Amino acid sequence: MDSTITPLDWWIIGAYCAGLLLMAWWLARRQESREDYYVAGRNVGPWPVGLSIMATQCSTNSILGAPAFVAFTAGGGLLWLQYELAVPLAMVVLILFVMPLFRHLQLVSVYAYLERRFDLSTRLILSGLFLFVRAFATAVTVYSIALVIDLITGLGFTASVLLLGAFTVLYDVMGGIRGVIYSDVLQLLILAVMLAVVLLFLMDASGGFGAMWQAFSAERKQTLDFTHHGFGDGQTFAFWPMLLGGLFLYVSYYGCDQSQVQRQLSTRDIDATNNALLINGLLRFPLVLLYCLVGVGIGVYALQHPQFIDALPDNGGGPQYNLAVPLYMIQVLPAGLLGLSLVALFAAAMSSLDSVLNSLSATTMEDFVRRFHRGSWTPRKELVLSRLITALWGVVTLVMAFYVGDIAPTVLEAINKIGSLANGPILAVFALGILTHRVSGPHAIAGLLLGIAGNGACWLLLPDISWLWWNVMGFVVTVGVALLLSLLPATQAAMPHPLDVYEHVIGNYLREESRCNWYRRSAWLVVWFVGLLVLLFFMQG
């Protein structure tokens, strides 16, 4: 597959990597403390943060997997767009009820809130769960992307890991969260432009957008599925599990996951944080629609050129459809544009890895190193230690990538399921802290464990239930168990931090209408949700 990669393409890739390192070095000159390193001194504007959040979500697995799902996967098609309907609704919840509190508390690690509300054990368990899941998932991501790079370039697996990982770790160590944010913005712009270029080439090959759309399979054009419910009918991607399950998943991911919340805590004030969430809520759908339309074009191209599928590598179970987009790039794009398209693939990978490494470092530093260190460090020493921890996590995830080969193919197919095992229960722990008086740390942890166990039982014993419902079911089980335990006389405990703090923060926030305009943001997002629903209805005919 690497026969058409020219020296010009390699020069473009090299220039891009060198440019990232130069930018990270420049940004590193402004760092003086761990807060500069982890939350950028809390003075980043809403646009860079909003675009950075979008870039992290648009990973290589997404821009390769989503077109393959739309074009080739059995039962797939444009139904994937239903998933995006939950994003604007999740942003409303975060804007009104979650981020005002976290910003008021001046957090660096989101799990520090759990110690203030519950106890140290709750903080450490949730933080440790994040470290384990994210480190493992990052290693699997590095493994899968390195396979793609190897198949495209012929560099070999080890060199592919180093090409992707070494540059990402190096600019992450130097640039900190500010480097992560601004590199993500650059990477998102490159990715969007190159996806648009690929779509234009696909449209031209089909005779225009209208011809391409008409040639696409009618059954794969379905964008809404109201006829199934996902509760035992074997239909994973029906409307209700994708909307409601997606809502709980996105509130958990954007509001309780350190890799996302950390950037939202880097803005200059709560107004900028919520504007960043508004930007993500409005612009994410057009980006996802873009790479789904690339999937439409790839499907039509494969139909018109049967030899295209034969050129895909075979993994023993059939063609590797996830490589359809890079194979098309190599076969069709001219020198220079091919280099930029490969840069776009690298950019998608790097934007996923850099934020995770920085958040793993922040969680380790805040929840474990500083929490248990006796005495004090100078700001400069904390900065150096923060960089060392980032480098350590980078090395750990790159080394782990060499040892997940036997399980990675299965995990890659189930990576969203793994997240859904815990997303609902984790969200429930935070919701219990914010909305209840009686629930204590042990109650919440017992609910968390039973919620995850219940979802695991569904995975093993009830495979016909859509895994998207696990996000809702795990939340309900965790809340129910914790509330029941809190009613037992022997387990009642006074809440360390009264709800008055939360009510005071939210009350003040909602009263400051002239400054925050919370109602306008919420209204825009709700209108956008309705507009997207109408758009999907007309797309399917």
Side-chain angles (χ1 to χ4, degrees):
M1 291 178 64
D2 63 330
S3 57
T4 59
I5 299 179
T6 67
L8 175 60
D9 299 318
W10 283 115
W11 275 106
I12 290 173
I13 295 171
Y16 169 75
C17 293
L20 281 183
L21 294 180
L22 181 62
M23 182 179 70
W25 170 79
W26 178 261
L27 294 174
R29 300 165 69 232
R30 303 176 58 180
Q31 298 168 4
E32 297 179 356
S33 67
R34 84 181 201 287
E35 286 217 345
D36 288 337
Y37 189 74
Y38 288 132
V39 289
R42 303 187 196 274
N43 64 359
V44 183
W47 274 99
V49 172
L51 295 178
S52 175
I53 293 171
M54 287 176 55
T56 299
Q57 280 287 285
C58 190
S59 66
T60 301
N61 286 336
S62 296
I63 66 171
L64 299 184
F69 179 87
V70 171
F72 305 113
T73 302
L78 292 173
L79 280 173
W80 188 257
L81 292 172
Q82 291 179 129
Y83 207 11
E84 299 305 309
L85 293 173
V87 174
L89 299 182
M91 297 304 103
V92 171
V93 175
L94 296 175
I95 286 172
L96 294 183
F97 304 114
V98 179
M99 292 315 299
L101 176 62
F102 291 169
R103 285 307 307 263
H104 174 78
L105 296 175
Q106 293 289 294
L107 302 176
V108 173
S109 166
V110 68
Y111 308 109
Y113 165 73
L114 298 176
E115 182 178 3
R116 300 192 187 192
R117 167 56 181 89
F118 294 117
D119 51 37
L120 177 60
S121 296
T122 306
R123 173 183 184 175
L124 297 181
I125 290 173
L126 269 293
S127 180
L129 180 62
F130 167 79
L131 292 174
F132 173 77
V133 172
R134 280 285 172 249
F136 179 75
T138 302
V140 173
T141 300
V142 171
Y143 173 84
S144 63
I145 297 170
L147 286 181
V148 174
I149 295 173
D150 180 24
L151 287 168
I152 294 173
T153 65
L155 288 174
F157 179 75
T158 300
S160 299
V161 169
L162 294 178
L163 176 64
L164 170 69
F167 281 103
T168 306
V169 172
L170 191 54
Y171 81 71
D172 205 348
V173 168
M174 289 193 297
I177 193 64
R178 194 183 296 272
V180 168
I181 290 171
Y182 286 107
S183 64
D184 281 353
V185 172
L186 174 64
Q187 290 159 349
L188 179 66
L189 294 176
I190 293 173
L191 179 63
V193 169
M194 290 313 303
L195 284 174
V197 168
V198 170
L199 180 58
L200 289 174
F201 272 81
L202 287 165
M203 289 166 53
D204 182 67
S206 301
F209 180 81
M212 183 182 77
W213 184 255
Q214 290 299 321
F216 191 57
S217 170
E219 63 181 17
R220 290 185 175 275
K221 290 180 184 176
Q222 183 181 5
T223 54
L224 297 170
D225 179 10
F226 292 107
T227 61
H228 301 99
H229 48 72
F231 257 120
D233 58 8
Q235 299 297 316
T236 299
F237 303 108
F239 177 81
W240 292 112
M242 293 193 87
L243 178 65
L244 298 180
L247 175 61
F248 279 75
L249 183 151
Y250 285 128
V251 172
S252 178
Y253 182 61
Y254 287 114
C256 308
D257 190 291
Q258 178 68 20
S259 65
Q260 293 297 313
V261 178
Q262 189 175 333
R263 273 168 291 185
Q264 298 165 39
L265 297 173
S266 302
T267 56
R268 62 178 65 98
D269 53 32
I270 180 57
D271 214 30
T273 296
N274 286 343
N275 279 333
L277 292 171
L278 176 65
I279 290 166
N280 180 64
L282 295 178
L283 297 186
R284 180 179 151 118
F285 182 86
L287 181 63
V288 175
L289 178 62
L290 175 59
Y291 57 71
C292 284
L293 288 178
V294 169
V296 172
I298 287 288
V300 173
Y301 184 83
L303 184 65
Q304 296 173 345
H305 301 81
Q307 70 277 11
F308 178 75
I309 297 298
D310 296 335
L312 288 171
D314 193 314
N315 60 6
Q320 295 188 31
Y321 291 119
N322 283 347
L323 295 178
V325 172
L327 175 62
Y328 177 81
M329 291 174 175
I330 288 175
Q331 288 187 347
V332 175
L333 296 184
L337 277 180
L338 176 58
L340 288 173
S341 68
L342 295 179
V343 162
L345 295 180
F346 295 158
M350 291 176 178
S351 64
S352 300
L353 298 179
D354 57 12
S355 59
V356 171
L357 294 180
N358 192 270
S359 61
L360 289 172
S361 175
T363 304
T364 303
M365 182 68 174
E366 296 297 314
D367 296 334
F368 294 94
V369 177
R370 292 189 76 250
R371 179 60 182 79
F372 293 103
H373 173 69
R374 295 182 179 180
S376 61
W377 285 317
T378 64
R380 185 65 187 175
K381 187 170 183 178
E382 286 188 336
L383 174 61
V384 171
L385 185 57
S386 298
R387 287 174 173 165
L388 289 175
I389 294 173
T390 303
L392 178 62
W393 275 114
V395 172
V396 167
T397 53
L398 293 183
V399 170
M400 287 174 61
F402 290 94
Y403 296 95
V404 296
D406 292 337
I407 58 175
T410 301
V411 173
L412 285 173
E413 294 174 2
I415 194 70
N416 283 328
K417 291 184 178 181
I418 292 174
S420 295
L421 284 175
N423 281 327
I426 290 172
L427 175 61
V429 172
F430 279 88
L432 288 165
I434 292 173
L435 300 176
T436 68
H437 284 273
R438 300 172 60 94
V439 173
S440 66
H443 304 152
I445 294 304
L448 173 79
L449 296 177
L450 287 176
I452 294 175
N455 285 340
C458 288
W459 190 344
L460 296 174
L461 304 176
L462 301 170
D464 286 336
I465 294 180
S466 171
W467 55 263
L468 287 156
W469 280 123
W470 300 350
N471 296 284
V472 182
M473 296 160 59
F475 180 93
V476 172
V477 170
T478 300
V479 169
V481 169
L483 289 177
L484 286 175
L485 291 176
S486 71
L487 297 176
L488 299 178
T491 65
Q492 291 182 7
M495 191 179 82
H497 296 276
L499 271 181
D500 294 343
V501 175
Y502 176 73
E503 292 167 352
H504 172 72
V505 171
I506 297 300
N508 286 342
Y509 172 62
L510 297 184
R511 282 193 292 270
E512 294 175 356
E513 297 180 6
S514 60
R515 182 174 65 85
C516 294
N517 295 318
W518 62 272
Y519 57 93
R520 293 182 183 177
R521 295 192 192 94
S522 302
W524 273 111
L525 289 165
V526 172
V527 169
W528 184 237
F529 164 77
V530 175
L532 294 180
L533 192 60
V534 173
L535 173 64
L536 294 187
F537 176 78
F538 282 105
M539 281 181 66
Q540 67 178 355

